[in-house]
Amino acid sequence: MNKENEREKIIVKTSIVGILANILLVIFKLGIGIFSNSIAIILDGINNLTDALSSLVTIVATKIANLAPDKKHPLGHGRIEYLSTMIVAGIIFYAGITSLIESIKKIFNPTDVEYSKITLGILIFSILLKFLLGRYVKNVGEKFNSSSLIASGADASFDAILSFSVLLSALIYIFTKINLEAYVGILISIFIIKSGIEIFMDAVNEILGKRMDKKLINEIKNTINAIENVHGVYDLLLHNYGPDKYVGSVHIEIPDFLTAEVIDPLERHINSIVLEKHNVYLSGITIYSMNTKNNELIKIRSRVKEIVLSHKEILEFHGFYIEEKTMSMRFDIIIDYSFENREKIYNIILKEIKNEYSEYNINIKVDIDV
């Protein structure tokens, strides 16, 4: 809870900094935009206003996300942050569409613009401020795994580029009298719309359930593998309930001579150390039994593994066990999703194993590549 409270405070503080900076830019840009009759500067100011609204949404969502679990939401409220990211994306998208319409109108009804040294100075100041703000907000977002802050930071950095295009069009007008105002406005609008769509899709992917971060998966597996009596870690599945809030399950491979008296404290220890080191709660730990009492069965395992992994389509082989009384052999494989005819690959492997070990009943399970 202390870690989550610290995260909330940092995100709120960063968002407030963003709101204040953007409100300052809105006042300056709308003022000089109206004074100079510049649609590009006005739209740039409106874009900053959407950023301030986005930061406000982030603050509210972070507060809600950090509420304690309750009867209706036993796993907490963390996913509200993804919904807030979608709202931010909606605000950005709406601003982009509105800006595009106004810019197109200006192409057909152009107006004269007047740029002063103050106008140029404010534009240069806004570019520097937005660039620094973008770097700051994005870095904090990455450090504390806040998708809303990362989105806001990336948007602020891109705003600096858009403001630079406004400055460039102003300089072109001053020296050549060529008015590119409306066209720059269209350019700004397109990029705003694109940014809104990308941010929205990122949030959708989080809600749908995207592939977990490989670094986190490997770190958890390494932690479990280092524990005594664990000879393999497989099928680690994590469910995301908000940034840095995971509930998961895992299979571990252990020797077949271990009893429930040993396995129970082993599982409790794994659960405890993974929660402490990675802030991941393992709701289920399932075991694969590993043949250790018969050297002949160990040799068979090595041979079967060699046959299976000789196929480039196979990503992983695990869970091998032979029951001598029933003469049955079982193991799991993971087939790469990039290969279309996965059933064909399965049948080829099954046939090869049967040809070499016809005396066994063979059961191959195809696991999901998560």
Side-chain angles (χ1 to χ4, degrees):
M1 283 302 294
N2 288 335
K3 195 174 182 181
E4 290 177 5
N5 288 335
E6 181 191 358
R7 179 178 181 272
E8 179 193 338
K9 287 178 182 177
I10 294 295
I11 291 174
V12 170
K13 178 184 173 183
T14 306
S15 299
I16 290 172
V17 170
I19 290 171
L20 294 175
N22 280 303
I23 288 176
L24 181 66
L25 291 174
V26 169
I27 293 170
F28 280 140
K29 287 183 180 179
L30 290 184
I32 64 169
I34 294 169
F35 179 76
S36 61
N37 201 25
S38 169
I39 182 65
I41 296 176
I42 291 173
L43 293 182
D44 204 17
I46 291 172
N47 186 33
N48 294 147
L49 181 60
T50 64
D51 293 342
L53 292 173
S54 299
S55 296
L56 186 61
V57 170
T58 299
I59 291 174
V60 174
T62 303
K63 288 286 186 182
I64 296 173
N66 206 35
L67 291 175
D70 53 39
K71 191 172 182 179
K72 287 186 177 181
H73 310 95
L75 294 170
H77 304 77
R79 283 181 175 169
I80 195 72
E81 289 199 34
Y82 302 137
L83 296 177
S84 76
T85 302
M86 295 173 75
I87 294 172
V88 169
I91 293 171
I92 293 170
F93 183 78
Y94 176 77
I97 293 293
T98 305
S99 301
L100 182 63
I101 293 170
E102 292 302 316
S103 297
I104 292 172
K105 287 179 181 178
K106 283 291 180 181
I107 290 178
F108 297 101
N109 299 291
T111 54
D112 292 330
V113 290
E114 296 179 13
Y115 295 113
S116 65
K117 291 179 180 179
I118 295 175
T119 301
L120 298 177
I122 289 175
L123 283 175
I124 294 170
F125 169 75
S126 70
I127 292 168
L128 292 174
L129 182 59
K130 267 296 188 176
F131 177 75
L132 294 173
L133 181 66
R135 289 285 297 272
Y136 167 68
V137 172
K138 190 175 181 181
N139 287 341
V140 174
E142 289 174 347
K143 184 177 180 180
F144 291 91
N145 196 19
S146 168
S147 58
S148 296
L149 281 186
I150 292 171
S152 296
D155 186 48
S157 297
F158 195 74
D159 286 348
I161 298 173
L162 295 181
S163 294
F164 180 77
S165 69
V166 175
L167 175 63
L168 195 61
S169 70
L171 293 172
I172 290 172
Y173 181 79
I174 291 170
F175 290 105
T176 66
K177 295 302 177 183
I178 297 174
N179 191 343
L180 299 175
E181 279 274 307
Y183 299 98
V184 171
I186 289 175
L187 179 67
I188 292 172
S189 304
I190 290 171
F191 281 110
I192 292 173
I193 292 168
K194 179 176 178 289
S195 175
I197 293 172
E198 288 174 349
I199 292 170
F200 181 83
M201 290 310 301
D202 283 343
V204 168
N205 288 333
E206 290 285 0
I207 292 171
L208 288 177
K210 67 179 184 180
R211 186 177 292 276
M212 288 293 105
D213 177 46
K214 192 173 183 179
K215 182 182 176 184
L216 176 62
I217 293 291
N218 288 336
E219 286 175 353
I220 295 173
K221 283 188 173 183
N222 290 337
T223 295
I224 300 173
N225 259 321
I227 297 172
E228 186 180 1
N229 284 324
V230 176
H231 293 268
V233 181
Y234 308 101
D235 308 326
L236 177 58
L237 182 63
L238 300 181
H239 301 282
N240 187 328
Y241 287 91
D244 291 331
K245 295 178 182 177
Y246 296 102
V247 175
S249 59
V250 69
H251 275 85
I252 58 171
E253 193 168 46
I254 58 175
D256 54 2
F257 59 78
L258 295 185
T259 63
E261 185 180 12
V262 178
I263 295 171
D264 179 49
L266 172 63
E267 290 184 344
R268 290 173 185 270
H269 176 59
I270 291 171
N271 201 317
S272 175
I273 198 169
V274 169
L275 183 61
E276 182 183 340
K277 287 187 70 174
H278 306 287
N279 198 34
V280 172
Y281 175 70
L282 294 176
S283 60
I285 301 175
T286 313
I287 63 170
Y288 286 130
S289 185
M290 179 181 173
N291 293 113
T292 60
K293 302 171 184 176
N294 187 324
N295 287 332
E296 187 60 35
L297 301 185
I298 295 172
K299 288 179 182 178
I300 292 174
R301 172 195 168 101
S302 296
R303 175 57 186 152
V304 171
K305 183 177 181 180
E306 182 184 350
I307 293 170
V308 172
L309 294 183
S310 67
H311 296 270
K312 63 181 180 180
E313 302 91 348
I314 303 302
L315 298 177
E316 194 174 275
F317 163 91
H318 59 263
F320 181 92
Y321 192 76
I322 290 179
E323 292 183 7
E324 294 182 80
K325 289 183 180 179
T326 59
M327 291 298 287
S328 61
M329 176 193 301
R330 63 175 182 263
F331 60 89
D332 298 356
I333 59 174
I334 294 178
I335 303 175
D336 194 334
Y337 275 126
S338 62
F339 293 90
E340 291 183 6
N341 199 340
R342 299 166 81 236
E343 186 177 349
K344 180 182 177 182
I345 297 164
Y346 171 89
N347 289 329
I348 290 172
I349 291 173
L350 180 60
K351 184 179 179 181
E352 289 178 355
I353 303 299
K354 279 185 174 180
N355 287 341
E356 196 153 336
Y357 299 100
S358 57
E359 68 273 26
Y360 287 100
N361 295 314
I362 299 166
N363 179 16
I364 305 175
K365 177 187 172 186
V366 179
D367 273 343
I368 300 170
D369 175 22
V370 294

